Amino acid sequence: GENVEQHPSTLSVQEGDSAVIKCTYSDSASNYFPWYKQELGKRPQLIIDIRSNVGEKKDQRIAVTLNKTAKHFSLHITETQPEDSAVYFCAAGRGSNYKLTFGKGTLLTVNP
Amino acid sequence: DGGITQSPKYLFRKEGQNVTLSCEQNLNHDAMYWYRQDPGQGLRLIYYSQIVNDFQKGDIAEGYSVSREKKESFPLTVTSAQKNPTAFYLCASSFGRVNYGYTFGSGTRLTVV
């Protein structure tokens, strides 16, 4: 089955800096890669996703890049703000399937 | 809020008891999922259901059971066979294939006392 590894497990940055979280996946058939943000005590929420026919996708301060050859994808947050502090999860799945496999999460702390 | 409701928010269970967690959605989603979240472990899939009256085991199904009698509902029973049931349980739903993304419920925190 699919295995998703996520690094780092914790990340601390100063407000205004950029943050990068990286994930690798094992199933070359996976073609859908979402990122979820979970604030303390709240539900995970989808913040951005990318499909394997695209190399990069941006949404304001958030971007995701995908390298299918190397089987890794990354989340980039620019101009970080304290409200970006949360746990971020990457996931991978086949678009023809129903299951997502999640990474173990990254606790991002943005210091004012 | 969010179209998918989990209840209760907090649940306490004595050892040896079965307990059922509720998950209801009004999003008209076909697929529903149960994940378990432990610190440092990410989200691990317990069971999922693609359509009514059908469900499949996930990666950590032992000690759990589910039913899917209605499209809107996917209750999870944590049985006494689950050796370490204390965790945060998340229900999710999707239109079907994963490339539509999941909508998560707000979770149930189960504690064994």
Short mmCIF file of all heavy atoms in Angstrom, two decimals, chain B residues 48-56 68 74:
data_model
loop_
_atom_site.label_atom_id
_atom_site.label_comp_id
_atom_site.label_asym_id
_atom_site.label_seq_id
_atom_site.Cartn_x
_atom_site.Cartn_y
_atom_site.Cartn_z
N TYR B 48 -13.73 2.56 5.92
CA TYR B 48 -14.34 3.49 4.99
C TYR B 48 -15.48 2.81 4.24
O TYR B 48 -15.54 1.58 4.15
CB TYR B 48 -13.31 4.09 4.03
CG TYR B 48 -12.68 3.13 3.05
CD1 TYR B 48 -13.05 3.13 1.71
CD2 TYR B 48 -11.67 2.26 3.45
CE1 TYR B 48 -12.45 2.28 0.80
CE2 TYR B 48 -11.07 1.41 2.55
CZ TYR B 48 -11.45 1.42 1.23
OH TYR B 48 -10.85 0.57 0.33
N SER B 49 -16.36 3.65 3.72
CA SER B 49 -17.54 3.15 3.02
C SER B 49 -17.73 3.95 1.75
O SER B 49 -17.76 5.17 1.78
CB SER B 49 -18.77 3.27 3.91
OG SER B 49 -19.95 3.04 3.19
N GLN B 50 -17.87 3.25 0.64
CA GLN B 50 -18.05 3.93 -0.64
C GLN B 50 -19.53 4.17 -0.93
O GLN B 50 -19.89 5.15 -1.57
CB GLN B 50 -17.43 3.09 -1.76
CG GLN B 50 -15.94 2.84 -1.56
CD GLN B 50 -15.39 1.84 -2.55
OE1 GLN B 50 -16.02 1.56 -3.56
NE2 GLN B 50 -14.21 1.32 -2.29
N ILE B 51 -20.36 3.23 -0.52
CA ILE B 51 -21.80 3.33 -0.76
C ILE B 51 -22.54 2.71 0.41
O ILE B 51 -21.95 2.01 1.24
CB ILE B 51 -22.21 2.62 -2.06
CG1 ILE B 51 -21.79 1.14 -2.02
CG2 ILE B 51 -21.65 3.33 -3.28
CD1 ILE B 51 -22.31 0.34 -3.19
N VAL B 52 -23.84 2.93 0.45
CA VAL B 52 -24.68 2.36 1.51
C VAL B 52 -24.57 0.84 1.51
O VAL B 52 -24.46 0.21 0.45
CB VAL B 52 -26.14 2.82 1.30
CG1 VAL B 52 -27.06 2.14 2.32
CG2 VAL B 52 -26.25 4.33 1.43
N ASN B 53 -24.57 0.29 2.71
CA ASN B 53 -24.52 -1.16 2.93
C ASN B 53 -23.23 -1.80 2.46
O ASN B 53 -23.19 -3.02 2.23
CB ASN B 53 -25.72 -1.86 2.27
CG ASN B 53 -27.03 -1.49 2.93
OD1 ASN B 53 -27.10 -1.35 4.16
ND2 ASN B 53 -28.07 -1.31 2.13
N ASP B 54 -22.19 -1.01 2.33
CA ASP B 54 -20.88 -1.55 1.95
C ASP B 54 -19.80 -0.78 2.68
O ASP B 54 -19.86 0.46 2.76
CB ASP B 54 -20.68 -1.44 0.44
CG ASP B 54 -19.38 -2.11 0.01
OD1 ASP B 54 -19.15 -3.27 0.40
OD2 ASP B 54 -18.60 -1.46 -0.71
N PHE B 55 -18.80 -1.49 3.22
CA PHE B 55 -17.68 -0.82 3.87
C PHE B 55 -16.47 -1.74 3.83
O PHE B 55 -16.59 -2.96 3.67
CB PHE B 55 -18.01 -0.43 5.31
CG PHE B 55 -18.64 -1.51 6.14
CD1 PHE B 55 -17.87 -2.46 6.78
CD2 PHE B 55 -20.02 -1.56 6.31
CE1 PHE B 55 -18.45 -3.45 7.56
CE2 PHE B 55 -20.60 -2.55 7.08
CZ PHE B 55 -19.83 -3.50 7.70
N GLN B 56 -15.29 -1.13 3.96
CA GLN B 56 -14.03 -1.88 3.89
C GLN B 56 -13.16 -1.53 5.07
O GLN B 56 -13.20 -0.40 5.57
CB GLN B 56 -13.26 -1.54 2.60
CG GLN B 56 -13.84 -2.15 1.33
CD GLN B 56 -15.04 -1.38 0.84
OE1 GLN B 56 -15.04 -0.16 0.86
NE2 GLN B 56 -16.07 -2.10 0.43
N ARG B 68 -23.32 1.04 7.66
CA ARG B 68 -23.69 2.12 6.75
C ARG B 68 -25.08 1.79 6.19
O ARG B 68 -25.25 1.38 5.05
CB ARG B 68 -22.67 2.24 5.61
CG ARG B 68 -22.91 3.45 4.69
CD ARG B 68 -22.32 4.69 5.18
NE ARG B 68 -22.65 5.88 4.44
CZ ARG B 68 -22.06 6.28 3.30
NH1 ARG B 68 -21.10 5.54 2.77
NH2 ARG B 68 -22.43 7.37 2.72
N PHE B 74 -22.70 7.12 9.41
CA PHE B 74 -21.63 6.10 9.40
C PHE B 74 -21.10 5.96 10.84
O PHE B 74 -20.02 6.44 11.16
CB PHE B 74 -20.52 6.53 8.44
CG PHE B 74 -19.49 5.48 8.14
CD1 PHE B 74 -19.84 4.15 7.94
CD2 PHE B 74 -18.15 5.82 8.01
CE1 PHE B 74 -18.90 3.19 7.63
CE2 PHE B 74 -17.18 4.87 7.69
CZ PHE B 74 -17.56 3.56 7.50
#
